Amino acid sequence: NIPDGHCIVGHVPNSRFPVHINVSDSITHNTAIIGVTGSGKSHLAFHMIDAMVDRGIKVLILDISRQHDLHLTQHNPTALKTPAEVKAWFEGASPIGIHQFGVDTSGYPNTTAGFVSAAFAELSKTKLERGRNIPAKLCVVFEEAHSLIPEWNQVAQKGDEQYVNRTARVILQGRKYGMGSLIITQRTANVTKTI
């Protein structure tokens, strides 16, 4: 029996037990998929993203691994090169927008903050109503999160702390607008604790 609002997104390895989640709660309360390399983190994320899309939730994927585009082709994801493209994607029909990091001279945290801020700018146009929560509308997926939103003592270049803080503030504020995140990493100690 699966509780109301939940869906099966995978199975525990070497087990007959399904993994089920409440998709909306996994976004509005933020979710982390943590495990060693090769343990199936991204595979589980693909199933979760499928479930989000099935429920009409937009998914913005920030992907250093460059594997999400390959595994989510059935959803016709939109390739996003710059944060300025987020508005058109968000207003369009494509449920998934993917930024695949190439050579990034401005640094991963800076680029990440730009995309997350652009997405929040679109969501924050929603009028909030007293006593009513906005349902899950957008999930930001941080693939290899330890590089995109590193803890303050793990940043790669001077100034990255301010970009990570900006991203964290947006994610924390975004919850009331139906925005949340899916953090995928094998290095939990290196990911900002704020999110």
Side-chain angles (χ1 to χ4, degrees):
N1 259 352
I2 300 173
D4 254 1
H6 287 67
C7 70
I8 294 176
V9 293
H11 285 83
V12 175
N14 303 316
S15 169
R16 61 182 175 84
F17 298 107
V19 174
H20 61 87
I21 62 165
N22 182 309
V23 175
S24 291
D25 285 352
S26 73
I27 297 167
T28 58
H29 291 79
N30 298 319
T31 299
I33 301 176
I34 302 163
V36 298
T37 301
S39 62
K41 297 180 301 294
S42 295
H43 186 74
L44 177 58
F46 302 148
H47 288 287
M48 290 178 69
I49 292 165
D50 284 337
M52 291 173 200
V53 169
D54 288 346
R55 283 162 178 73
I57 298 166
K58 291 268 193 178
V59 183
L60 172 62
I61 303 170
L62 303 175
D63 184 17
I64 291 176
S65 71
R66 303 176 71 85
Q67 60 186 330
H68 286 263
D69 188 58
L70 295 172
H71 292 281
L72 298 167
T73 56
Q74 73 276 18
H75 298 297
N76 298 316
T78 298
L80 301 172
K81 293 182 180 167
T82 69
E85 298 172 328
V86 169
K87 178 180 172 60
W89 162 71
F90 192 78
E91 293 173 349
S94 176
I96 298 175
I98 300 177
H99 175 70
Q100 297 185 83
F101 291 83
V103 177
D104 192 340
T105 56
S106 65
Y108 294 145
N110 183 10
T111 302
T112 297
F115 275 97
V116 172
S117 295
F120 180 73
E122 295 308 307
L123 276 181
S124 63
K125 295 175 183 175
T126 304
K127 182 171 171 46
L128 297 178
E129 297 177 29
R130 181 184 292 171
R132 184 170 171 259
N133 290 332
I134 301 290
K137 292 176 107 178
L138 173 70
C139 181
V140 179
V141 177
F142 297 98
E143 179 67 58
E144 303 289 344
H146 52 276
S147 294
L148 302 178
I149 47 173
E151 187 61 276
W152 66 271
N153 60 350
Q154 298 293 320
V155 296
Q157 50 193 35
K158 188 174 173 68
D160 280 353
E161 303 95 336
Q162 70 182 2
Y163 301 121
V164 173
N165 288 338
R166 184 170 139 207
T167 299
R169 279 193 311 272
V170 169
I171 292 296
L172 294 174
Q173 284 294 314
R175 182 175 177 216
K176 63 182 146 197
Y177 293 96
M179 177 184 194
S181 64
L182 176 59
I183 297 169
I184 306 166
T185 188
Q186 65 267 17
R187 299 188 185 124
T188 56
N190 297 2
V191 176
T192 182
K193 304 307 176 282
T194 309
I195 299 174

